[in-house]
Amino acid sequence: MVNPSPAHDGVADLSCRGLERVIRSVWSRTFARDVAPGDDFFELGGDSLSIIDTVAEMRRLGVALRASDALRHPTPARLAEHLTVGSARTVTGRKILPPRELRTSAGSDPGAPVTVTALAPGPGQPLVVFPSSSHLAAELAAVRACSGPWPVLAVGAAGSDRLLSDAGDVAAAAVRSTQAVVADAPARAYRLLGFGSGAVLAVETARRLRATGREAELLALVQPPVAGAVAGTPVETAVLHEQRLTNLARRFALTGDESLTEVGSRMRAAGWYEEARAEDLAGLQLAWARAAQTIRRYEPAPLPGAGCVLIHDAAAREAVDQWRAVLGSSRVHLLDHGLADPGAALGDAGVGRLLRQEIAR
């Protein structure tokens, strides 16, 4: 039996994580058991009557929730993300604004060298990792979970967003990353693993390696975003930047008055930008927007190969369909988190096991 939580007069923490905690608390009382972020309301034993009761309780706490929201997003994590990032209705009487401190962003440096960091020593064929930027710590944890007796290298000290932002073109960024990898770890064949935006860079690096007489014997992509025409109508970088800041403000309940130190603290608590310094957060958001624009201009050509692997959330249908077509005879592993935040998938122990199995083939 779960002890009832103290009564709430309202929701103090309007962040995605804060709302998730409130939802879990309400559901725990409803079902008299601990409720995890990924637990499904109906699999817990809920029905149409109990969902009305929980919606009423959430509204009493100040959350502008409708029964249809709870029906479409039946886990605490999905519902909390919908109410923050996916909706402007979050909590009654409060408007969340993009944080002012993140608007001043450092410029890019197209001439900056591409760094290649050795994560683990070993003999044989290197595993080359292309991390994103926002969940670098979780991605490297997933890499450690699938590591073995082979050298592991990471491209880009701050993730792939900065590389794509600086180059302004996926193919150009791939030329630079290929040159850096080959110079640092000369080999006939490589295994490539990319996360998020880094997965897009990994695809073109594999193509570049093949064009230079080398081989990408494994190309594993974890949650790559949609690219090119599939991503929709072209959008200016400034618009993407503003959308990014708005989404972050909603996710972390930022009013615009927080210092970068406070912004960084909230992000790290939720598993975002754990490796970044507070003073770098503004530049990282502009780099994200420029990288997103670069990916929107990129039309990936088919790159079939027996060693291609795609790991993605099943809810991201457009991305799954696009990259399945690009990779041809790829092995596809679908996850069921249903979140825009990739942190849940990266923290899934099953992802590390899948990657280890694929790398060890």
Side-chain angles (χ1 to χ4, degrees):
M1 177 71 71
V2 175
N3 293 324
S5 299
H8 296 272
D9 294 324
V11 179
D13 182 355
L14 308 184
S15 69
C16 184
R17 187 62 62 89
L19 283 178
E20 180 189 289
R21 284 194 292 267
V22 171
I23 296 167
R24 291 172 61 191
S25 175
V26 171
W27 289 15
S28 293
R29 294 196 296 274
T30 298
F31 299 111
R33 53 161 290 182
D34 290 320
V35 174
D39 285 344
D40 186 283
F41 184 85
F42 300 102
E43 292 177 0
L44 288 168
D47 54 28
S48 57
L49 292 178
S50 54
I51 206 166
I52 291 173
D53 291 338
T54 57
V55 167
E57 175 66 5
M58 294 293 293
R59 292 186 69 85
R60 188 185 74 77
L61 296 174
V63 181
L65 177 63
R66 296 185 296 222
S68 57
D69 293 325
L71 287 167
R72 286 196 301 268
H73 309 280
T75 73
R78 292 184 188 184
L79 184 54
E81 187 172 79
H82 167 71
L83 291 173
T84 51
V85 179
S87 172
R89 293 186 295 105
T90 49
V91 176
T92 55
R94 293 288 297 273
K95 183 178 181 181
I96 297 177
L97 303 173
R100 297 188 188 95
E101 285 264 15
L102 290 182
R103 293 180 181 276
T104 304
S105 302
S108 60
D109 181 7
V114 175
T115 60
V116 177
T117 305
L119 300 181
Q125 191 180 105
L127 172 64
V128 183
V129 181
F130 297 80
S132 66
S133 298
S134 57
H135 289 77
L136 188 59
E139 290 164 4
L140 295 182
V143 171
R144 287 192 294 272
C146 68
S147 62
W150 46 71
V152 182
L153 312 172
V155 177
S160 296
D161 285 354
R162 183 71 75 183
L163 299 181
L164 292 167
S165 169
D166 291 348
D169 178 81
V170 174
V175 168
R176 297 181 63 206
S177 65
T178 301
Q179 291 172 342
V181 168
V182 171
D184 192 86
R188 184 195 64 81
Y190 298 85
R191 290 173 287 197
L192 309 183
L193 167 59
F195 296 89
S197 59
V200 179
L201 182 55
V203 169
E204 279 305 303
T205 301
R207 196 187 310 278
R208 180 66 183 171
L209 285 169
R210 292 178 180 181
T212 57
R214 298 172 179 85
E215 188 56 52
E217 293 192 356
L218 172 72
L219 174 61
L221 311 182
V222 181
Q223 298 197 194
V226 292
V230 178
T233 305
V235 179
E236 294 294 328
T237 299
V239 174
L240 292 172
H241 189 212
E242 183 69 17
Q243 291 174 351
R244 174 68 165 184
L245 297 184
T246 298
N247 286 341
L248 291 176
R250 289 175 177 169
R251 183 176 292 280
F252 300 112
L254 302 171
T255 64
D257 297 324
E258 296 83 4
S259 67
L260 283 177
T261 299
E262 173 60 21
V263 172
S265 177
R266 295 190 192 184
M267 289 181 172
R268 284 191 297 275
W272 287 61
Y273 293 108
E274 291 179 303
E275 302 294 302
R277 301 177 303 173
E279 57 266 33
D280 294 332
L281 289 173
L284 285 168
Q285 305 322 308
L286 183 57
W288 180 92
R290 288 172 172 163
Q293 180 70 288
T294 298
I295 291 171
R296 279 173 171 263
R297 291 195 297 262
Y298 167 64
E299 295 290 348
L303 185 71
C308 293
V309 177
L310 175 64
I311 300 176
H312 220 302
D313 197 304
R317 297 176 187 172
E318 289 184 333
V320 171
D321 290 345
Q322 178 180 40
W323 293 106
R324 192 197 298 263
V326 169
L327 300 180
S329 60
S330 59
R331 296 183 292 278
V332 179
H333 303 279
L334 298 181
L335 309 174
D336 187 30
H337 294 280
L339 299 171
D341 181 358
L346 293 172
D348 187 333
V351 171
R353 289 195 298 269
L354 280 174
L355 289 171
R356 186 171 180 83
Q357 291 169 8
E358 294 291 353
I359 292 170
R361 275 178 178 263

